[in-house]
């Protein structure tokens, strides 16, 4: 009987000591260490990805061309005769009656074939606009003189999406327009608007929502920087960027790697910039 009491006492002491040691460990982790290094300073930025959407449709590839030709051929086979085709048939029938020397022929000033020849001549004289370059911009001449001047024109490619990159004066670092969060900003969206207005007050964009589409975090020694990205579509005023203090270019998504050297920053941009 005494042996059983001793076993119960030892077990109770063991459990109590285990609880005390666990409590001490929890308290030691909960109490902050006064000797630990203080966290670095954190700065918040808002960046805007300004996109100029395609002005014209893209060129079709080989598969799209073959499919388009097939659909057109099927539509022609299933369609009824147009007024012009019916007119051509009447002309043929009229010519056949004239050949048979029937006297009740009506006078025809212009046949369907004559109308086709006239329209074909007018079509050949029509000069189509350049699909790659705007009419007011000579890409071939500028490309030889200064490639950057070529990329500063927003209309040098009309069938592709273009993205705006800026660089500080006397700097080789290219990035999206950004500005630091200020105390008077009511939201990050307001900060993003200041980033665009800092380029030019006459440069207008349409923002795609109030929430950021991505975030990039970088650390330099004790300084931590967080950039929140907003997307916007170009509206007007690109010509006023020439008077901005920033250097700028309009580039395609596949050209980002030629300007942005930070691989982590480039990977972050590729997550939310779509190319189509």
């Amino acid at each position: 009987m005494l042996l059983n009491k001793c076993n119960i006492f030892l077990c109770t002491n063991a459990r109590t000591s285990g609880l005390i040691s666990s409590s001490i460990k929890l308290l030691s982790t909960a109490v902050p260490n006064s000797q630990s290094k203080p966290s670095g300073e954190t700065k918040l930025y808002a960046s805007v990805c300004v996109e100029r959407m395609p002005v014209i449709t893209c060129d079709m590839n080989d598969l799209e061309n073959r499919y388009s030709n097939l659909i057109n051929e099927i539509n022609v086979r299933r369609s009824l005769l147009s007024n012009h085709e019916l007119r051509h048939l009447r002309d043929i029938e009229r010519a056949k009656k004239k050949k048979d020397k029937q006297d009740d022929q009506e006078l025809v000033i212009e046949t369907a074939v004559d109308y086709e020849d006239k329209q074909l001549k007018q079509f050949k004289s029509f000069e189509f606009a350049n699909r790659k370059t705007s009419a007011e911009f000579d890409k071939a001449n500028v490309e030889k003189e200064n490639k950057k001047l070529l990329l500063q024109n927003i209309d040098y490619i009309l069938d592709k999406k273009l993205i705006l990159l800026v660089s500080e004066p006397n700097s080789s670092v290219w990035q999206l327009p950004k500005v630091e969060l200020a105390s008077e900003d009511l939201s990050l969206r307001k900060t993003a608007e200041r980033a665009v207005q800092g380029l030019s007050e006459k440069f207008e964009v349409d923002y795609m929502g109030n929430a950021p589409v991505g975030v990039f975090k970088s650390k330099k020694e004790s300084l931590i920087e967080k950039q929140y990205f907003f997307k916007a579509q170009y509206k007007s005023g690109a010509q006023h960027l020439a008077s901005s203090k920033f250097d700028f270019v309009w580039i395609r998504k596949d050209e980002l790697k030629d300007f942005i050297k930070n691989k982590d920053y480039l990977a972050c941009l590729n997550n939310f910039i779509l190319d189509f």
Side-chain angles (χ1 to χ4, degrees):
M1 188 69 177
L2 181 61
L3 182 60
N4 292 335
K5 290 182 178 180
C6 290
N7 290 335
I8 294 173
F9 178 76
L10 290 174
C11 292
T12 304
N13 288 341
R15 292 177 182 176
T16 305
S17 61
L19 291 174
I20 293 174
S21 61
S22 300
S23 301
I24 293 174
K25 290 181 179 180
L26 290 175
L27 289 174
S28 63
T29 56
V31 176
N33 187 4
S34 59
Q35 298 179 355
S36 61
K37 295 182 179 180
S39 58
E41 181 184 2
T42 302
K43 291 186 177 181
L44 302 180
Y45 295 86
S47 298
V48 184
C49 176
V50 181
E51 299 176 339
R52 194 228 61 187
M53 305 306 291
V55 180
I56 59 177
T57 57
C58 299
D59 293 329
M60 292 189 295
N61 56 33
D62 181 62
L63 176 61
E64 292 171 339
N65 277 320
R66 288 189 285 118
Y67 179 76
S68 177
N69 294 334
L70 175 62
I71 294 299
N72 291 335
E73 184 179 351
I74 294 176
N75 291 335
V76 169
R77 290 180 181 180
R78 294 180 178 179
S79 63
L80 300 177
L81 295 178
S82 64
N83 292 335
H84 179 72
E85 291 171 327
L86 294 175
R87 176 184 175 184
H88 184 62
L89 293 178
R90 289 195 299 268
D91 290 341
I92 295 176
E93 184 179 357
R94 189 180 298 110
K96 184 178 180 181
K97 291 182 179 180
K98 185 177 181 180
K99 186 178 181 180
D100 296 339
K101 298 181 180 180
Q102 298 183 11
D103 297 332
D104 56 345
Q105 297 299 315
E106 60 179 291
L107 181 62
V108 178
I109 300 177
E110 183 183 51
T111 63
V113 177
D114 296 335
Y115 178 78
E116 288 182 7
D117 294 338
K118 184 178 70 174
Q119 296 299 320
L120 183 60
K121 183 178 180 181
Q122 183 179 358
F123 175 75
K124 290 181 177 180
S125 63
F126 182 80
E127 186 175 349
F128 289 92
N130 196 337
R131 287 181 52 86
K132 299 298 182 182
T133 307
S134 66
E136 300 177 355
F137 189 72
D138 191 354
K139 176 182 176 181
N141 295 334
V142 176
E143 190 170 11
K144 297 177 182 178
E145 299 175 0
N146 190 348
K147 186 177 180 180
K148 185 181 293 185
L149 182 60
L150 166 69
L151 299 178
Q152 287 181 348
N153 188 287
I154 196 173
D155 291 330
Y156 86 100
I157 291 181
L158 299 178
D159 60 344
K160 300 291 184 181
K161 178 195 293 185
L162 297 180
I163 303 165
L164 177 64
L165 290 184
V166 298
S167 175
E168 295 283 348
N170 301 324
S171 175
S172 60
V173 179
W174 293 92
Q175 59 186 346
L176 299 179
K178 75 171 185 178
V179 71
E180 186 177 358
L181 177 68
S183 58
E184 62 269 13
D185 292 335
L186 299 178
S187 63
L188 281 173
R189 164 66 186 271
K190 294 296 182 181
T191 309
E193 292 177 0
R194 285 199 302 110
V196 174
Q197 292 174 358
L199 301 176
S200 176
E201 294 182 356
K202 298 181 180 180
F203 184 69
E204 298 182 0
V205 299
D206 289 329
Y207 294 91
M208 311 303 291
N210 298 322
V213 296
V215 60
F216 175 72
K217 180 179 179 181
S218 61
K219 185 176 181 180
K220 299 178 181 179
E221 297 179 354
S222 61
L223 178 62
I224 300 176
E225 294 183 358
K226 290 184 179 180
Q227 295 186 41
Y228 293 89
F229 299 100
F230 291 80
K231 295 193 74 173
Q233 292 185 1
Y234 166 75
K235 188 176 180 181
S236 63
Q239 67 274 12
H240 299 289
L241 293 178
S243 59
S244 173
K245 66 177 182 179
F246 297 96
D247 198 4
F248 69 96
V249 290
W250 293 94
I251 61 173
R252 303 188 304 271
K253 180 182 178 180
D254 56 358
E255 295 176 328
L256 287 174
K257 61 182 182 297
D258 299 332
F259 289 83
I260 299 177
K261 304 305 179 183
N262 190 331
K263 295 183 179 181
D264 295 332
Y265 184 76
L266 178 61
C268 183
L269 298 185
N270 287 328
N271 288 334
F272 61 85
I273 298 178
L274 305 178
D275 192 12
F276 53 87

